[in-house]
Amino acid sequence: MAVFDISIIIPVYNTKDLVEKCVIPILELADDTIEVICVNDGSRDNSLEVLKNIQLNYPKMVIVDKENGGLSSARNSGLEVANGEYILFLDSDDWLDLEKFLELKAYCKDKYDIIHGNFNYTYDNKEAIKNKLQYEGTLSGQEFLSKALLTNQFSMPVWINLYKRNFLLEHDLLFMEGIYHEDEEFNPRAFSLAKSVMSKNIYFYEYYQRANSITNNSSNEERRFLDILKISESVSAFINNHKFDAQYTKMIKTYLALLVISGYIRIHDKAMARKYYPVMKEMRLYQQIAPYALPFRVVSLMLRCCPRFFFTMYRFYFEVTSKKI
């Protein structure tokens, strides 16, 4: 039986100057139904000392100290010790809008497998920007993912979701370790298996935009692209093994094709892009993109007939429209 309503798992790696802003407001809540677990993932600064100082004032905070293994490893380690009915994954350089968080938390009483919220892009020197609207409703995970992905009303970060812990444990839903973009591998599996999803545009998560964060670091482009190929293979194998219905399988394969394309156009090094261009052509991604709507038809046709031009134009469009910093 769960001891807490929610366990908040916070991986910490070299964020000594930010972790107090993340953790202390949660600990100051007069709410004994919330468990806070900070996983120090082998930080090389004094993040661990900062956590221990916080714990002196807030003994209920749990600290897990482990060797560096990456974000996925830290989340998995936190899940091992969590006692909450629901799990929230919170990055240590971000924070919660507590009023909105408690509003979302109220839906835990209805026992959904996944509760899906929304987030703001937050800055030091300018006003926050709201993320795009998410598809709202109460559906099965497959119904939700189908409608949300095909209407571009879904964001992939795990930290805007509350996951029922028993649901994660029952299906052995852990994060793939040693890769970037781990959320893109985890969430398609989780939502595919969820019997009940509640989605509400409650902007409870403040996603802090700092230039040197893992997400905004443009280094390791080759590894990031290769990791996306691994994710595509992993999720494809998962879908095939579970033998979901044909329409849902086509939708997921469409998503994976677009994920690989997005990974490729993020390669800014021209020599590297040329190196992997034959790989992209050989994958014949246009065959995976189901013609659900006109934009999908256009993408499929351009990939088939003029892929190099398509990648050039898509890269330019992405760079113009997607920068949040």
Side-chain angles (χ1 to χ4, degrees):
M1 185 174 181
V3 178
F4 301 95
D5 288 346
I6 295 179
S7 294
I8 301 178
I9 297 173
I10 307 173
V12 179
Y13 179 70
N14 294 349
T15 52
K16 64 182 179 64
D17 296 325
L18 296 168
V19 68
E20 289 183 323
K21 182 174 182 178
C22 171
V23 174
I24 290 178
I26 303 170
L27 295 170
E28 289 181 339
L29 282 174
D31 191 335
D32 292 331
T33 68
I34 299 172
E35 177 184 41
V36 177
I37 302 170
C38 291
V39 182
N40 181 55
D41 188 40
S43 295
R44 293 174 295 177
D45 62 4
N46 67 334
S47 292
L48 180 58
E49 286 70 26
V50 173
L51 291 176
K52 288 180 177 179
N53 287 333
I54 295 172
Q55 193 181 49
L56 290 175
N57 294 317
Y58 305 95
K60 67 179 182 179
M61 185 182 80
V62 177
I63 298 176
V64 176
D65 187 26
K66 60 182 288 294
E67 294 183 359
N68 179 253
L71 182 60
S72 292
S73 174
R75 287 172 173 170
N76 291 339
S77 295
L79 188 56
E80 287 180 5
V81 302
N83 293 294
E85 184 171 8
Y86 282 86
I87 303 294
L88 171 65
F89 298 101
L90 169 61
D91 288 353
S92 61
D93 52 354
D94 302 329
W95 58 91
L96 303 179
D97 179 323
L98 294 178
E99 182 179 348
K100 297 293 185 182
F101 166 66
L102 294 176
E103 182 181 347
L104 191 73
K105 177 178 178 288
Y107 288 95
C108 292
K109 67 181 184 298
D110 295 319
K111 313 301 183 186
Y112 302 104
D113 287 336
I114 302 175
I115 300 169
H116 182 68
N118 213 332
F119 70 95
N120 298 308
Y121 293 93
T122 306
Y123 307 85
D124 286 323
N125 301 313
K126 62 178 181 179
E127 290 187 8
I129 299 175
K130 285 186 177 297
N131 182 47
K132 66 185 179 183
L133 288 174
Q134 305 292 280
Y135 188 89
E136 289 192 328
T138 302
L139 307 157
S140 73
Q142 291 186 29
E143 291 173 323
F144 171 77
L145 207 56
S146 295
K147 293 178 182 296
L149 283 176
L150 295 178
T151 57
N152 192 28
Q153 295 181 86
F154 181 70
S155 296
M156 197 56 70
V158 299
W159 33 249
I160 53 172
N161 301 312
L162 302 178
Y163 301 91
K164 187 187 291 185
R165 182 169 62 93
N166 285 343
F167 161 70
L168 298 181
L169 297 177
E170 176 187 352
H171 296 286
D172 197 26
L173 285 166
L174 298 172
F175 290 88
M176 178 185 283
E177 299 188 11
I179 63 168
Y180 290 118
H181 308 291
E182 57 283 315
D183 295 7
E184 280 85 349
E185 198 277 337
F186 181 87
N187 264 334
R189 292 188 291 121
F191 278 87
S192 293
L193 296 172
K195 294 180 180 179
S196 57
V197 172
M198 195 288 297
S199 177
K200 194 82 171 173
N201 279 292
I202 298 174
Y203 287 79
F204 77 101
Y205 194 98
E206 303 295 337
Y207 177 31
Y208 179 47
Q209 300 297 284
R210 57 186 181 114
N212 62 339
S213 70
I214 293 174
T215 304
N216 293 318
N217 193 332
S218 62
S219 64
N220 299 320
E221 288 182 341
E222 185 170 24
R223 180 186 163 188
R224 290 173 180 275
F225 175 66
L226 293 176
D227 282 350
I228 284 177
L229 295 183
K230 289 181 185 178
I231 289 167
S232 177
E233 292 174 0
S234 173
V235 177
S236 291
F238 167 83
I239 293 296
N240 293 334
N241 288 340
H242 281 78
K243 295 181 170 41
F244 297 119
D245 70 65
Q247 185 174 1
Y248 184 72
T249 298
K250 287 180 181 179
M251 188 279 299
I252 292 292
K253 294 293 179 70
T254 298
Y255 158 74
L256 292 175
L258 296 175
L259 178 66
V260 171
I261 293 167
S262 296
Y264 178 70
I265 61 101
R266 285 178 168 88
I267 299 176
H268 296 89
D269 183 278
K270 292 182 179 179
M272 191 180 300
R274 287 194 296 270
K275 174 183 175 181
Y276 287 106
Y277 179 71
V279 175
M280 295 295 291
K281 286 197 68 176
E282 186 178 346
M283 292 181 73
R284 298 185 178 182
L285 295 173
Y286 60 84
Q287 295 180 345
Q288 297 183 34
I289 299 176
Y292 292 105
L294 181 59
F296 294 98
R297 294 175 187 269
V298 171
V299 169
S300 179
L301 181 63
M302 292 187 71
L303 273 176
R304 183 173 186 175
C305 300
C306 48
R308 195 180 298 274
F309 175 73
F310 169 75
F311 290 135
T312 299
M313 294 302 296
Y314 191 19
R315 182 177 288 111
F316 173 75
Y317 171 79
F318 175 81
E319 291 177 352
V320 169
T321 61
S322 67
K323 291 181 179 178
K324 296 294 181 181
I325 292 183

